[in-house]
Amino acid sequence: MRVLLVGAGGVGTAITRIAARRSFFDHVVVADHDLARAEAAVAALDDDSRFSACRADASDEEAVAALLREQRCDVLLNATDPRFVLPLFEAAAAAGAHYLDMAMSLSRPHPEHPYEQCGVKLGDAQFARAEEWEKAGRLALVGMGVEPGLSDVFARYAADELFDEIEEIGIRDGANLTVEGYDFAPSFNIWTTIEECLNPPVVYEAGRGWFTTEPFSEPEVFDFPEGIGPVECVNVEHEEVLLVPRWVDAKRVTFKYGLGEDFIGKLRTLHALGLDSTAPVTVATSRGPAEVSPRDIVAAVLPDPATLGDRMTGKTCAGTWVKGVKDGAPREVYLYHVVDNEWSMREYGSQAVVWQTAINPVVALELLADGTWSGSGVLGPEAFAPRPFLDLLSAYGSPWGLREQ
């Protein structure tokens, strides 16, 4: 297997460090718009000849397709932010390569009823091309990070092995991470964080389908394992709600994120000031007027999450809460994956949140490489057998847990 990895930021760099310990692939080409960043990711791998670096513009579909052909890559692994999903998805299709991402094509709120009805949903643009990918015999495995990704594998595992009937599947994400020296330092890409937190959250209910609510709706306190403890969680737009119902029979599906009151307050302020907007505005500079988006300015002034590991302490938890019936009796479980920042920094030099995201596409690629997973079309993680994934995740030295509620 030859892989084109597009994006050498925190997640992309963590992917290289995890993959370097495995033998299932022949070569990984690490591409980034900043060549120095791609070269740094490769240089950190102790002269592993299976990795090389090059420059690539993720927005240039034709150039990326040409790079896939030139490097004879079988699969494109997208480790960029969601703005570049569609050009990379289309580049892979044009080059006849398989495709894998960790976030799906962007949504657009309903123009008249944004907090009641869905407009364009996450992933709609990709699922619209599913038939073409299937006819071409190529696989686009979408949403294969941690959330979405591992959380979806948990949902399928629960449906296959733990429940006869599922009332609700709720993704619940929480952490007790702190960053020394910063009042506001998100542990993940702020562009993506703003997008998913300030868009109308989507909820799924059988018989009603997908619908939206106001941001930060339905607050609840969820008790996270391994010492993290109770965290208030709220509805946030996320891919799982759009993926899980396509393959798993559940009466309700939600995603709630443990953001905390302070974090929510800062996001509300950004929104009130218009600083979450992606529409360019004209800014006076010493070199004359410049067109920039307010959200890009916010991202530029905040620290790069990939550089925060040495200042971070605590753990992050991704998991899937499931309520239903097994053998005629009520059952409620939480399937989860916890990463301690001290451990991920010591073992891989990557902070916990990006490392937890990065391990899952590597596991998926290994399952695809050895034929354990196979398929064609546009498929989510729920479309594949979950047990091999969970077993291999543990074999990577990162076990998952199950708690009866």
Side-chain angles (χ1 to χ4, degrees), residues 10-11 14 17-18 146 173-179 187-188 228 305-318 337-346 348-360 398:
V11 173
R17 294 170 180 176
I18 296 165
V146 61
D173 179 298
N176 61 1
L177 295 167
T178 59
V179 182
S187 57
F188 202 69
I228 295 174
T307 67
L308 297 175
D310 290 334
R311 293 174 173 263
M312 285 174 60
T313 56
K315 299 176 181 179
T316 184
C317 178
H337 184 252
V338 172
V339 178
D340 187 317
N341 187 73
E342 181 182 354
W343 176 86
S344 65
M345 286 297 297
R346 182 179 67 249
Y348 288 89
S350 297
Q351 56 104 319
V353 177
V354 299
W355 188 90
Q356 188 182 46
T357 303
I359 188 172
N360 297 287
S398 190

Side-chain angles (χ1 to χ4, degrees), residues 24-44:
F24 67 87
F25 64 93
D26 299 308
H27 196 81
V28 175
V29 180
V30 183
D32 196 276
H33 70 95
D34 182 346
L35 177 59
R37 193 161 69 164
E39 290 175 334
V42 171

